[in-house]
Amino acid sequence: MKHPKEEQTFVMVKPDGVRKGLTGEIIKRFEQRDLKIVALQMFEPTREQIDEHYPKDEAWIARLGQKTLKTYEKYGFDPKAELGMDNDLEIGKEVRKWLVDYMLSAPLVRMVVQGIHAVDVVRKIAGPTLPFMAEVGTIRGDFSIDSPLLANKEKRAVMNLVHASETPEEAEHEIEHWFGKGAKIYSYKRFGVDE
Ligand code: ATP
Ligand code: MG
């Protein structure tokens, strides 16, 4: 019988993950949690693919800027002095550009990960967006210490090793975007998990 929360989610190892040689380590962390890799490939995206991957709505872009503003506020930095801007949407637009450049800076590894509560569990294993805030034991908390304070000063995105879908709907959309309609997703039984 299929588990009510058996899900598929979309994961990408980002350029810093590939360049730090962490592809295997990242896959291992999903597999050791009894999640299954059901599709896997290294590839080079086009600028258009990356641009379409990240949302374009103002609410999402403003949220990117808010992550910068919150960090600046927490540590007593003036965004205007550091970046020349203090509006969340304006900062978000800059961050989105840096993000696209960052995602094109090395090959990526795309995969579909399947299992119980896969969407939430994969996000938990990855850890929260900003590595300096991520708990030890998460991928981002164990292998990165990046922060918007440094990243934005260097006019680049926060490097956080891995992307993972946020909701089952986003996962479905991203699997189709990155593997194509009717892509080959494999099916097999994990010892001790599926039987
Ligand atoms: P992802 O979508 O890559 O899984 P996420 O959902 O944790 O990560 P989002 O809020 O969707 O984070 O932001 C997308 C990506 O943009 C982040 O993973 C990070 O690389 C970058 N990013 C987010 N906020 C900032 C920021 N304030 N400054 C620079 N880069 C940022
Ligand atoms: Mg996201």
Side-chain angles (χ1 to χ4, degrees):
M1 203 179 81
K2 189 174 175 283
H3 189 282
K5 283 302 284 178
E6 177 86 7
E7 295 173 338
Q8 289 180 344
T9 190
F10 177 73
V11 174
M12 267 193 301
V13 182
K14 292 182 171 184
D16 53 323
V18 170
R19 294 185 60 198
K20 282 179 164 174
L22 290 172
T23 302
E25 174 70 35
I26 289 168
I27 293 171
K28 185 199 93 178
R29 285 175 179 229
F30 301 135
E31 288 191 320
Q32 78 185 5
R33 197 73 190 269
D34 286 344
L35 291 163
K36 262 191 296 202
I37 308 301
V38 293
L40 178 68
Q41 189 188 34
M42 180 173 274
F43 73 108
E44 264 172 348
T46 64
R47 183 169 289 273
E48 292 68 38
Q49 279 176 317
I50 292 294
D51 188 53
E52 276 165 38
H53 167 75
Y54 286 110
K56 288 188 164 107
D57 59 284
E58 292 206 336
W60 189 86
I61 295 173
R63 203 189 61 163
L64 281 186
Q66 282 151 20
K67 285 183 191 173
T68 291
L69 288 174
K70 270 194 205 129
T71 309
Y72 280 42
E73 192 186 329
K74 182 166 181 207
Y75 294 96
F77 284 78
D78 175 7
K80 198 113 201 168
E82 295 290 316
L83 290 176
M85 330 171 229
D86 58 6
N87 172 270
D88 57 0
L89 188 58
E90 215 184 328
I91 297 173
K93 281 183 183 160
E94 275 302 296
V95 171
R96 197 183 183 284
K97 279 188 222 155
W98 297 332
L99 185 52
V100 172
D101 288 340
Y102 155 54
M103 292 297 283
L104 289 168
S105 64
L108 307 173
V109 176
R110 60 187 161 198
M111 64 189 102
V112 178
V113 181
Q114 182 177 319
I116 294 164
H117 296 280
V119 172
D120 285 346
V121 173
V122 162
R123 295 279 294 185
K124 206 174 171 67
I125 294 169
T129 308
L130 305 179
F132 83 102
M133 298 283 277
E135 297 82 4
V136 170
T138 64
I139 293 167
R140 288 163 171 175
D142 283 351
F143 298 107
S144 177
I145 197 167
D146 205 16
S147 149
L149 263 174
L150 177 62
N152 295 176
K153 209 180 179 86
E154 293 180 347
K155 304 214 173 299
R156 61 169 177 81
V158 166
M159 295 195 269
N160 55 8
L161 305 165
V162 67
H163 161 79
S165 309
E166 286 178 54
T167 63
E169 296 70 39
E170 195 178 276
E172 202 183 324
H173 175 81
E174 291 181 348
I175 290 168
E176 192 179 315
H177 178 64
W178 287 110
F179 281 92
K181 257 201 168 88
K184 181 73 186 152
I185 310 286
Y186 292 85
S187 176
Y188 61 96
K189 284 189 172 162
R190 276 279 300 257
F191 283 120
V193 179
D194 296 321
E195 53 193 22

